[in-house]
Amino acid sequence: MYAAVDLGSNSFRLHIGEPIAGQIHIVRTARDPIRLAAGLGPDNALREDAVETALQTLRDFSAILRQYRLAAVRVVATNTMRVASNADAVLPRMEEAIGYPIEIISGEEEGRLIYMGVARALGRRSERRLVIDIGGGSTEVIAAHGDDIHLVESFSIGTHPQSATYFQGGHVSADAFETAVNAARARVEDLADQYRRHGWDAVYGSSGTMRAINEVISRNRLGDGTMSLPSLFALRDKLIELGHVDAFDLPGVKRERVIVMTGGLSILIGVMQELSVPAMTAINAGLRLGVLSDLELRANRHDRRDLAIQDCMRRFGVDTQRATRTAAIAKKLFDKLAPQDDTVVHHLLRSAMLHEVGQAISHTGAHKHASYIVEHADLPGFTARELRLMSLIVLGQKGNLRKVREVLGVPDLAKAVLALRLAAVFMHARVDADVDAVRVRMKGRIDVETPRGWLRQHPTVAAWFEKEAAAWSDVGVPFSVTT
């Protein structure tokens, strides 16, 4: 079984799922509508009361997770944690409360995971789809064909800021609603043509807000009773007629969620009008099912991160043969260094495959360009932490080591930097076949031992070793070569 925890801007949610016969069966769920986005102050810092509420929910979730034997757990945080100015200070407390690392995922990664969940629930691989997910802090719009995502965008418009800005105090008027809808349209209009050109056979809404709107419309037979624009207008008119969210008493939505639904409705109408979507279908699938599906894929060695590396290499014209040779040499050297953390080798190998990606910009300072690309490129499946770590390994492939001091303090990461530096040297010198004969150790100092006569066979390596000795000495690590 796998567990997915979604730290959303409106609610924290937990799913525990078990893959059976190609489907993921949900065996346990939990939800707490803590409204984290409402805890952001004027400076975008989370207030302490909001943090304490979040910590208590995470402790409760931790207790649930401990009841199951889980193969993997993934905790993802979305827009509110992306924008919180004190996220770096809050995150360790949250991780301690739940007992697992928390990934603050990008909006684009959130969109991809949402779509993975929708695609997993629907099947229908020949269908062209548009998926809209309106969350508490952002709205994701994804255009795809079957399992293949063609366009994904995260728009910084969500139910909380929409409600707080245009429906202050719960008051709803025709003018306020029109202004709110136009604000939503303005956010998506730049990309509307791209979505329309992609086209679709069906449109789905995947968020809890979508399902709440659908429930109210269908149970109260508003409009035609479906998620069509006329039905959305009928719900809008009902809210305007009542004038305040507290007066809304139609079945299908809890009273405390009416304000969330109102903000979401204004976004949905705006997005559908701008994209020329006449109707859509609400679906009970999205981010959490996508996270569970991704965990299952990783367990079965179908890791999206490796596909992202290959795509990035194609995008920037990386020489696949050189990259593969470098990665193979780095792996041999890293094994010789006897690392303790098995996960670091994956960071090293992926860094090695991308270590020359910066040459697409300039050969001068290519390692610096490569480091920037790795950290900031859109690489599906990677967390911000992983990309930062890989970017530092790539940056450390040559030159001054002081710029990567933060990873040199972690023994296995220091070994990864050393392995990539030597691998790049050996790849350029074409000594692939002779790497097995080289011994290398790193424990407070670096000792490289080569067979007698080896350096005479590879004279350029000797010059590189002198540069390496100077570079490592500059950060207080002795580097010696013996035969």
Side-chain angles (χ1 to χ4, degrees):
M1 289 187 288
Y2 305 101
V5 182
D6 165 18
L7 309 184
S9 298
N10 278 330
S11 301
F12 284 8
R13 296 173 181 264
L14 176 151
H15 271 13
I16 295 175
E18 182 178 12
I20 301 176
Q23 298 295 320
I24 294 182
H25 294 261
I26 305 302
V27 300
R28 181 73 181 269
T29 66
R31 172 180 175 270
D32 191 351
I34 69 167
R35 306 283 189 269
L36 188 65
L40 289 172
D43 57 352
N44 263 6
L46 281 167
R47 297 192 308 270
E48 184 58 25
D49 62 321
V51 174
E52 287 296 335
T53 301
L55 294 177
Q56 184 55 56
T57 298
L58 293 175
R59 293 185 193 104
D60 294 341
F61 282 6
S62 179
I64 295 172
L65 294 172
R66 289 196 298 270
Q67 298 173 22
Y68 295 85
R69 296 183 63 182
L70 300 168
V73 177
R74 189 176 180 192
V75 187
V76 299
T78 58
N79 185 263
T80 295
M81 290 301 291
R82 285 197 290 268
V83 303
S85 59
N86 58 341
D88 288 345
V90 171
L91 196 62
R93 298 170 63 189
M94 296 174 71
E95 291 178 328
E96 182 181 5
I98 196 166
Y100 291 94
I102 297 174
E103 305 170 19
I104 301 177
I105 56 176
S106 68
E108 290 74 19
E109 176 66 0
E110 182 180 355
R112 278 186 286 264
L113 288 168
I114 287 166
Y115 185 78
M116 285 181 68
V118 171
R120 182 66 177 265
L122 290 173
R124 307 176 201 167
R125 293 190 172 183
S126 63
E127 185 177 66
R128 292 180 307 157
R129 318 187 169 106
L130 184 71
V131 174
I132 304 171
D133 187 288
I134 299 173
S138 64
T139 294
E140 282 67 46
V141 184
I142 309 102
H145 190 168
D147 292 334
D148 299 324
I149 296 173
H150 295 169
L151 182 61
V152 57
E153 190 69 32
S154 179
F155 299 95
S156 56
I157 183 170
T159 61
H160 174 71
Q162 193 81 344
S163 299
T165 301
Y166 302 105
F167 309 111
Q168 294 181 16
H171 297 282
V172 184
S173 68
D175 287 344
F177 221 109
E178 182 180 6
T179 303
V181 168
N182 288 335
R185 295 188 66 164
R187 293 296 182 97
V188 301
E189 62 183 352
D190 281 349
L191 291 175
D193 285 343
Q194 293 186 42
Y195 283 102
R196 285 193 290 262
R197 280 197 298 269
H198 176 270
W200 48 78
D201 303 317
V203 182
Y204 299 95
S206 61
S207 61
T209 296
M210 299 286 201
R211 294 189 290 274
I213 293 172
N214 179 68
E215 184 74 6
V216 171
I217 287 174
S218 61
R219 288 184 62 175
N220 297 282
R221 299 181 181 179
L222 297 175
D224 58 16
T226 70
M227 290 282 280
S228 65
L229 274 174
S231 299
L232 299 180
F233 291 149
L235 178 56
R236 173 203 62 187
D237 293 344
K238 183 65 176 176
L239 286 161
I240 293 171
E241 175 191 337
L242 294 171
H244 198 283
V245 296
D246 288 346
F248 190 90
D249 59 355
L250 297 183
V253 61
K254 294 180 179 178
R255 184 175 296 274
E256 65 270 17
R257 283 189 57 82
V258 176
I259 186 63
V260 176
M261 182 189 71
T262 304
L265 178 63
S266 67
I267 296 171
L268 183 56
I269 290 174
V271 172
M272 289 177 66
Q273 286 181 326
E274 196 62 30
L275 299 185
S276 304
V277 175
M280 66 183 309
T281 301
I283 183 171
N284 188 17
L287 180 59
R288 290 170 300 288
L289 183 56
V291 172
L292 292 173
S293 298
D294 197 35
L295 288 173
E296 183 189 16
L297 285 173
R298 292 184 184 186
N300 293 326
R301 301 186 184 280
H302 297 292
D303 199 321
R304 289 187 305 142
R305 291 172 293 184
D306 294 325
L307 296 176
I309 293 293
Q310 295 168 23
D311 180 63
C312 186
M313 291 172 65
R314 284 192 294 270
R315 241 187 304 165
F316 289 96
V318 172
D319 187 318
T320 302
Q321 186 178 22
R322 285 166 62 92
T324 303
R325 284 176 54 215
T326 304
I329 297 171
K331 174 64 165 60
K332 287 183 178 181
L333 293 170
F334 193 61
D335 288 344
K336 292 173 184 286
L337 291 165
Q340 301 298 309
D341 186 349
D342 293 339
T343 63
V344 176
V345 69
H346 299 294
H347 299 317
L348 170 61
L349 293 176
R350 289 162 177 154
S351 300
M353 295 301 291
L354 295 178
H355 82 286
E356 290 190 326
V357 72
Q359 292 187 4
I361 298 175
S362 172
H363 286 275
T364 303
H367 62 300
K368 298 176 184 177
H369 301 310
S371 176
Y372 182 87
I373 290 171
V374 170
E375 184 170 4
H376 298 285
D378 187 15
L379 296 176
F382 286 97
T383 68
R385 286 177 177 175
E386 289 172 328
L387 294 176
R388 173 63 178 165
L389 188 58
M390 289 166 51
S391 76
L392 289 170
I393 294 174
V394 168
L395 182 62
Q397 69 180 276
K398 64 182 292 187
N400 189 338
L401 283 163
R402 283 177 288 177
K403 57 186 178 285
V404 293
R405 279 187 182 275
E406 63 183 277
V407 294
L408 296 184
V410 181
D412 282 350
L413 295 179
K415 291 175 181 178
V417 171
L418 174 63
L420 182 56
R421 289 175 75 92
L422 294 181
V425 169
F426 291 169
M427 184 272 293
H428 286 291
R430 298 188 177 277
V431 297
D432 309 44
D434 293 338
V435 172
D436 291 339
V438 176
R439 295 182 181 180
V440 59
R441 293 181 297 276
M442 186 179 194
K443 191 171 183 180
R445 56 177 292 117
I446 298 169
D447 295 300
V448 179
E449 185 179 339
T450 65
R452 192 182 301 271
W454 191 89
L455 288 175
R456 285 197 299 273
Q457 296 172 8
H458 308 291
T460 59
V461 175
W464 278 110
F465 278 164
E466 290 183 9
K467 291 184 178 181
E468 284 301 296
W472 286 99
S473 176
D474 191 38
V475 291
V477 181
F479 183 105
S480 65
V481 180
T482 58
T483 57

